[in-house]
Amino acid sequence: MIGTLVRLKLTLLRNGLRRSPWQVVAFVVGVLYALSIVATVGGALVALRFTGLDVAAPVVVGVGTLAVLGWALIPLVAFGVDETVDPSRFATFAVPRAQLVPGLLLAGLVGLPGAVTLLLSLAGAAALSRSVPATVLAVVAALVGTLTAVAASRATTTAAAALLRARRTRDVAVLVGGVLIVLLGPGINLIAQRVEDGLDDLAALGRDAAAVAGWTPPGLAWAAAADAAAGRWGTALLRLLLALAVLAAVLGAWALALGRSGTGPAAGGGGPTRATAGGGLLDRLPSTPTGAVARRCLLYWRRDPRYLVAAASVAVLPLLLLVLPLSAGGDPGRWFLAAGPLAAFVTGWSLHDDVAYDHSAFTLHVTAGVRGRDDRAGRLLAAALWQVPLVLVLTVIGALVAGRADLLPALTGASAALLGAGYGVSSVASALTPYPVAPPGGNPFSSPRGAATATLLVQLVTTLVVALLALPALAALLVALLWAPWAGWIGLVAGTGLGALWVWLGLTRGGALLDRRAPEVLAVVSRS
């Protein structure tokens, strides 16, 4: 079964490249980017082979620990995980978890992220290859560390998906995530203070941190290789055994989470249905195609875990602005000046693939002949009803907390430009370059097969375009912040005008694109 799953993953990846020339282009770009990472980071790790062990060991342990943590946590907030071999597809085949989990684990290595991690892990093993026995143990430890990283990403995203299906636990999940972010502050502050004390103290801090990380679950495997290189074989074997136990525990947690969400029936079925209660904002929307789209999208924002994940990223912005002052020093209040513009960028940009969340339901738009402009306007209306007030509140609070009420016009203009540019770019991008996302009821942290590289490229391009379109208002904000606060009134006029212009162009151009490309968009967003 393990070999079958790995071959299945390779076959699906190969067939995905045959589907579209753009898939090949995206794959080539991804390969080039991966090679650049391996060449730079891997080359630096291999170069540590010719330094002292007191330098190489802390670096390898620190980088390895961060790699495992990155695999476990980053998919929760960005990109997701590649579900080319979706566990839910095996629900009807009664595949035992003892066979399914190891097969999915090795299949997770097939792809650019897994290949890059494995190569960098072997480069770290080369840095600690001070003898033949130490090299053998370092290679084994690198494999254990890589498998732990991949398993951790699957375990955390699968468990989080199961958690988000229970409405009562969603707020708890957001709260816990925010607390964890806040707890990073003291560590960041400590590092910043030690950097100011000089490189010698920084090196000492790195050694101390590596010593601590070596006894944590993400760092055990890498520390075992460092102990073997130093000749501490008793400690090395102990850590390696503990690393294997951690891998087994992570796989067990993943298997348990799959039993609750990944290999069972899709969420949302089997229970009694209830009519949606009327009243409130939903009944106030116009009885037009635009209003119908907006009404449905508002329900998405309230109930769909995939939308709740996106909304949670905005919810943690104030917490992020509490952490940043600890790492950079200076006046903490000044960081809150970024609250409004940052929220405006995140909220506007987050709609750049909104149509994909409809999945097969977008068929109704095509068969009913919904105009592209009505579709674009409805989605923007649903988002703007809660995002615009949020951005305004954060903009005002940020200026008042920082004690710079004189910058309120400049901040408002920058926020308006970023939000309008985000809405405009999103209206065009979701019709021109949509990419598949997790289907309704699926893991909101997963990335459908063949979509990981395309997702990264589209997100990068749309980010740059939004920043470029808002550049005049951002420049006025910079001038007002550093030299002349009166320039903020110019930024207010320019920002609101540009924001409105980008929204109008997005609705017209994006609507026209959607009218022409509706079948192609449906084919893309229906994939999972």
Side-chain angles (χ1 to χ4, degrees), residues 488-508:
W489 293 101
I490 299 177
L492 176 61
V493 175
T496 53
L498 285 175
L501 175 63
W502 301 140
V503 170
W504 178 76
L505 288 176
L507 292 177
T508 55

Side-chain angles (χ1 to χ4, degrees), residues 56-118:
V59 172
V60 172
V61 174
V63 171
T65 302
L66 292 176
V68 176
L69 291 175
W71 270 86
L73 299 179
I74 290 178
L76 296 176
V77 295
F79 308 123
V81 294
D82 181 15
E83 291 286 10
T84 303
V85 185
D86 189 352
S88 63
R89 302 294 178 87
F90 299 92
T92 58
F93 294 98
V95 180
R97 293 187 206 169
Q99 299 179 19
L100 180 63
V101 170
L104 293 176
L105 176 64
L106 293 182
L109 291 175
V110 179
L112 292 180
V116 169
T117 303
L118 180 59

Side-chain angles (χ1 to χ4, degrees), residues 6 23 39-40 77 94 98 123 130 179 182 195 209 212 295 297 318 417 427 438 524:
V6 173
Q23 291 283 354
T40 54
V77 295
R130 306 307 166 101
V179 170
V182 173
V195 170
V212 174
R295 189 177 294 108
C297 289
S427 297
V524 173

Side-chain angles (χ1 to χ4, degrees), residues 276-374:
T276 301
L281 181 60
L282 294 180
D283 284 348
R284 299 176 184 271
L285 294 173
S287 298
T288 62
T290 296
V293 174
R295 189 177 294 108
R296 191 192 63 203
C297 289
L298 279 175
L299 291 175
Y300 285 172
W301 283 109
R302 287 172 50 187
R303 299 178 177 180
D304 195 323
R306 301 169 301 167
Y307 278 79
L308 293 174
V309 169
S313 64
V314 182
V316 301
L317 286 178
L319 296 173
L320 177 64
L321 294 175
L322 286 173
V323 172
L324 288 176
L326 297 177
S327 61
D331 182 11
R334 295 179 66 88
W335 286 90
F336 279 87
L337 290 173
L342 187 58
F345 168 77
V346 172
T347 53
W349 174 85
S350 65
L351 300 179
H352 70 273
D353 197 35
D354 187 71
V355 67
Y357 289 99
D358 286 4
H359 200 53
S360 58
F362 188 68
T363 306
L364 296 175
H365 290 234
V366 179
T367 57
V370 176
R371 291 194 312 164
R373 182 163 182 167
D374 291 332

